[in-house]
Amino acid sequence: MAHTQLEHELAELLVDALNLEETTPESIAPEAPLFGDGLGLDSIDALELALAISRKYGFQLRADDTRNQEIFANLRALAAHIEANRADP
Amino acid sequence: MISHPPERRTTREQLLRRAQMLATELSQHVHTPATAPVINLCRERDHFLLLFCAALLAHRTTLLPPSPTPHVIEALKHDHPGALQLDDQALKELAQGDEISASHRHSDPSTPAATSPSPLTALLNEHAWPSPTFTAVTLHTSGSTGEAQPHRRTWQQLRSGAALLAQRLALGERRYQLIGTVPAQHTYGLETTILLPLLTEHTVCAGCPLFPEDLRSLLTALSPPRILVTSPPHLRACLESAIEWPQTELILSATAPLSAELAQQAEERFGARVLEIYGSTETGALATRRTVETPIWQPLEGVELEAANGNWIASGPHFPSCTLHDVLELDPNGPGFFLHGRSRDMLKIAGKRHSAAALSALLQAAPGVRDAVILPPEDNPWDPARVAALVVAAPPDAAAVKGWLREHVDPVFLPRPLLFVDTLPRDPSGKLPRAALIELLERRRMQDES
């Protein structure tokens, strides 16, 4: 499935911020899991990603444990969360 | 004992009452031997404490895995047939329908600590606590030191450790509220965020926040004085976020060396005293230092260090005597010591010796460098006679980093290659598992060749 513009931007940010050398932004499916079996990100990656997102979109990620899993479930969910919270709409 | 969130505030008496019910529940509803150990995977501190106390009261040993990954848990269950494995979700389901995990909305939520007067001795009579020599916890060392090894602690050792740590933190008469970003399954998180609230008058926040903003909002919700229990990578992320931090009286840092620069920033931004704890899974906390004031570590009361055949042997009231994996140098002017890295990390190149950990620390202090690690020659696929370096820096300026390093160490220790990466594969406790580093190097190597 094709990326929206924000999803593509975010995929680039992800590859860039986390140094996913063997991954191209285009190859990150919008609904594939980012953590665990998907891209295999971990909690330190989540911290790095949160920092990159706060710099680019001007808001701090927040999550209690359950919402954390929702927001970081996949690229699409993360993009939707950013769309709803970004400081520069 | 649990200070936050408000609907989960719990006094020690309430928690122990529920733990007693849970202990009974475990024996009735789960068909395993009555003394089978419990694998406690709970992330939330109140759940961890509840299950931990239930295990103690049922005289079951709590097993703590080095990481919550499935194959690690499977290996643990293989070694302990019949072990009960419970995480936050499983604990909630087990307790559903009765009062075990129900919030006590009718209890007085205003001052949980004040309603629990120092009751430990009374509680010892009241509940069926295990004997002092009972193995309360078996911790496991993580992958960075080879195969997972069990490290047992008796109930008495856990209690001594908490008392010694509380004494060292010099918290006086004030009741502090703790919050931790580190897992309770590791020695450091266990001693600070679980045993201190259980065995002293300080309270802990239930949550285990990941993002800086989550931490800020929870910290702000705690009433002062506050203690933040964290690790260098997390502290760095907090300081790099454009967040205004609430006054936090004490920050504890462990699992990896903290640079004096980062400690200084943290003291300023949080208005905190930043204490580093030196310890290991084998020993628990051994010594502390206030990083901005001194490089010298002061051992906890009763901890003794003895040199034997080039190694250091530590003994103390809260752990079985053991050989340390670190190189120490006693301070000639007092009881303290300097830490010179891990013995197994000792590098020897062209007849010259240097600690890999010390070299990593040097590299971390180079201009523009945010994080870095030195890999010994045997792990270097490019040049088996030289160290390799993985460096996180902005901007990535190899010449500047090498130039800086050249001023501080013998040229034989200059990394070949020095590779820039965006992040190091640190595990949740901030450590760098050797396998992950080697995998990262191999990936880079294959890219270079393709």
Side-chain angles (χ1 to χ4, degrees), chain B residues 104-136:
Chain B
H104 282 230
R105 289 166 209 283
H106 304 299
S107 63
D108 173 16
S110 55
T111 50
T115 57
S116 59
S118 182
L120 192 59
T121 43
L123 286 168
L124 287 174
N125 301 327
E126 200 179 305
H127 292 279
W129 294 96
S131 77
T133 56
F134 176 74
T135 301

Side-chain angles (χ1 to χ4, degrees), chain A residues 16 19 21 62-63 65 72, chain B residues 44 211 213-214 217 422 447:
Chain A
D16 194 43
N19 196 31
E21 291 162 35
R62 292 196 54 172
D65 279 353
F72 277 91
Chain B
E44 304 279 308
F211 298 129
E213 179 60 16
D214 292 323
S217 106
D422 278 7
Q447 278 174 4

Side-chain angles (χ1 to χ4, degrees), chain A residues 16-19 21-22 42-48 50-51 55 60-63 65 68 72, chain B residues 43-44 210-214 217 234 237 240-243 370 421-423 426-427 443-444 447:
Chain A
D16 194 43
L18 305 182
N19 196 31
E21 291 162 35
E22 67 285 355
D42 58 28
S43 64
I44 301 290
D45 290 326
L47 264 181
E48 286 294 327
L51 211 53
R55 286 187 181 131
Q60 298 286 346
L61 279 179
R62 292 196 54 172
D65 279 353
N68 197 359
F72 277 91
Chain B
R43 275 176 51 84
E44 304 279 308
L210 173 65
F211 298 129
E213 179 60 16
D214 292 323
S217 106
H234 224 114
E240 286 187 5
S241 303
I243 283 176
R370 291 173 46 210
V421 293
D422 278 7
T423 179
R426 292 197 182 272
D427 70 18
R443 279 217 307 269
R444 285 294 283 255
Q447 278 174 4

Side-chain angles (χ1 to χ4, degrees), chain B residues 246-331:
Chain B
Q247 162 97 31
T248 302
E249 281 68 12
L250 179 60
I251 294 176
L252 298 178
S253 175
T255 70
L258 181 68
S259 73
E261 187 199 353
L262 203 60
Q264 182 68 46
Q265 280 182 35
E267 292 221 347
E268 286 164 10
R269 294 266 301 274
F270 285 84
R273 188 164 58 110
V274 176
L275 288 186
E276 268 187 280
I277 297 178
Y278 166 63
S280 65
T281 308
E282 290 87 339
T283 60
L286 283 174
T288 62
R289 68 174 177 186
R290 186 170 179 183
T291 319
V292 298
E293 284 179 349
T294 176
I296 299 171
W297 296 91
Q298 296 301 332
L300 297 186
E301 185 84 27
V303 168
E304 292 190 9
L305 302 163
E306 199 184 339
N309 303 324
N311 285 317
W312 287 90
I313 295 170
S315 56
H318 56 301
F319 59 92
S321 296
C322 67
T323 302
L324 299 177
H325 298 302
D326 300 293
V327 179
L328 276 56
E329 178 194 340
L330 293 183
D331 174 16

